[in-house]
Amino acid sequence: MTQTLIIGAGSIGISLGASLHSQDMNVTFLAREQTKKAINEQGIRRTGLFGEISVPAGEVTAIADLSGLAGRAIDYALICTKTLSNADVAAMLAAHREILSENGKIVILQNGWGNDTPFRSYFSEDRIYQARVITGFARTAPNVSNITVHTAPILFGSLYGRNTDCMEPLARAIDASGIPSETTSVLSEALWAKMLYNTTLNPLGAILRVPYGKLAESDSSRAIMDRLIDETFLVMEHCGYRSFWETPDAYRAEFYGKLIPDTYAHRSSTLQDIEKKQKTEIDTLNGCIVHLAREHDLKVPTHQMICELIAALEENYK
């Protein structure tokens, strides 16, 4: 039986755990105490767009420390934490690298760009894979995740040109559970497509406290989003990155015509963090654009302002 470790039992982790269990994969969560207790006592449940999957208590396990996996050979370690913890997670996995099977893979399922960097300090490139996820998840209880919106399949691949055959069992299992998933040979382009989407919508929806669809209905917020898109394309061009659209206008046609309508009701992860008074992932979203712009002496004032507004919201938590 395929052994899967999910590090981070948040909304995406719970949904994927239920999905993989439904396809006869063994699932273990590394979770905080409250979530660990809920999973071990009540099981997990996936609800929403792609149907309900309920996993009774005892059929999945949650642990608080990787030492609990001694003797286990993990085939897939899915990184579903917030990006803020990547340095700690990478070091922790490296300290317990014996839990990975001979061909075990680390699979990063997070927002942003550059999330692989901490893991590359400890693991070779043939161990590290990533996924592009443009599906909306919301945790409605410590052990329950609701799939709210979806616009494209989850894509699994390598940023280093490695063979993606090893990702096929993972992609097929999630796809068979109801969530469209597949492998890709163009992961970089897919991740930059998500960066275009996330950096335009995610923090702005949080600042204005509205779902994505409402942003497109306001001329003022559309003007802000248009500037964000232009600035992201500017950075991509100077850094040598590509996505699936050659120009900002080509992207805007799909952005306003398909992507926003498909995810109209979604409330961003940044908004969910702010409502919980948690630190956001802004540094790996718009903050990444600002950082790359500085390296190339470019001006991205709209992204800079978005970062400053999110920082101000965080600083005013009470």
Side-chain angles (χ1 to χ4, degrees):
M1 180 180 288
T2 302
Q3 302 290 319
T4 305
L5 169 66
I6 298 180
I7 300 178
S11 56
I12 184 172
I14 293 291
S15 274
L16 293 183
S19 300
L20 295 172
H21 177 273
S22 75
Q23 302 304 307
D24 298 322
M25 288 193 178
N26 182 281
V27 177
T28 301
F29 292 94
L30 182 69
R32 294 177 178 173
E33 186 57 37
Q34 180 188 12
T35 304
K36 169 179 166 286
K37 186 173 185 291
I39 291 172
N40 288 335
E41 292 181 356
Q42 304 170 35
I44 59 173
R45 188 156 56 99
R46 187 193 90 183
T47 62
L49 282 184
F50 299 112
E52 181 168 329
I53 298 175
S54 292
V55 182
E59 293 193 13
V60 295
T61 304
I63 59 175
D65 188 285
L66 290 183
S67 59
L69 290 174
R72 188 82 62 85
I74 298 298
D75 298 300
Y76 297 109
L78 275 56
I79 311 302
C80 299
T81 58
K82 294 290 187 182
T83 58
L84 305 167
S85 62
N86 277 2
D88 291 337
V89 170
M92 175 183 62
L93 262 181
H96 294 274
R97 63 174 67 240
E98 73 281 356
I99 70 172
L100 294 174
S101 68
E102 182 180 354
N103 295 309
K105 307 301 182 186
I106 296 164
V107 187
I108 304 168
L109 299 103
Q110 296 175 320
N111 288 328
W113 178 261
N115 299 327
D116 57 319
T117 301
F119 296 91
R120 292 179 70 186
S121 298
Y122 302 101
F123 298 95
S124 59
E125 291 179 351
D126 64 331
R127 287 274 198 176
I128 304 169
Y129 286 76
Q130 290 184 243
R132 189 286 311 271
V133 184
I134 308 188
T135 302
F137 303 87
R139 193 164 65 162
T140 55
N143 60 326
V144 180
S145 175
N146 185 49
I147 300 177
T148 56
V149 294
H150 174 82
T151 190
I154 298 175
L155 296 178
F156 292 90
S158 166
L159 285 176
Y160 326 115
R162 302 290 178 169
N163 190 293
T164 61
D165 288 352
C166 59
M167 291 291 105
E168 286 289 347
L170 190 62
R172 284 198 301 267
I174 295 171
D175 190 71
S177 80
I179 305 174
S181 303
E182 58 194 60
T183 61
T184 182
S185 61
V186 288
L187 182 66
S188 176
E189 288 88 337
L191 290 178
W192 274 100
K194 187 178 181 184
M195 279 288 280
L196 277 162
Y197 174 85
N198 268 342
T199 59
T200 304
L201 289 167
N202 196 321
L204 185 59
I207 291 164
L208 298 178
R209 296 179 182 263
V210 296
Y212 288 169
K214 291 294 183 183
L215 294 173
E217 294 175 355
S218 160
D219 289 341
S220 297
S221 55
R222 281 178 76 110
I224 295 169
M225 291 192 292
D226 285 344
R227 291 197 295 273
L228 288 168
I229 291 167
D230 287 337
E231 291 175 11
T232 302
F233 266 90
L234 175 69
V235 168
M236 287 169 55
E237 178 183 352
H238 280 78
C239 292
Y241 297 125
R242 293 174 54 84
S243 192
F244 301 128
W245 305 271
E246 293 297 326
T247 66
D249 284 342
Y251 177 69
R252 272 188 279 267
E254 182 155 350
F255 180 71
Y256 290 115
K258 180 183 189 306
L259 299 180
I260 289 185
D262 282 354
T263 55
Y264 183 96
H266 185 61
R267 300 171 75 255
S268 76
S269 60
T270 301
L271 176 54
Q272 294 176 55
D273 287 340
I274 287 171
E275 290 176 338
K276 296 172 186 174
K277 298 185 178 179
Q278 297 175 345
K279 188 164 175 58
T280 72
E281 298 178 297
I282 192 66
D283 289 344
T284 50
L285 293 171
N286 302 69
C288 176
I289 300 296
V290 171
H291 175 74
L292 291 172
R294 285 175 181 161
E295 288 185 345
H296 293 265
D297 198 26
L298 303 172
K299 303 296 183 184
V300 288
T302 318
H303 282 281
Q304 181 70 50
M305 179 61 75
I306 291 290
C307 290
E308 290 165 350
L309 287 169
I310 293 295
L313 288 170
E314 292 177 352
E315 290 164 5
N316 283 290
Y317 290 161
K318 293 182 180 179

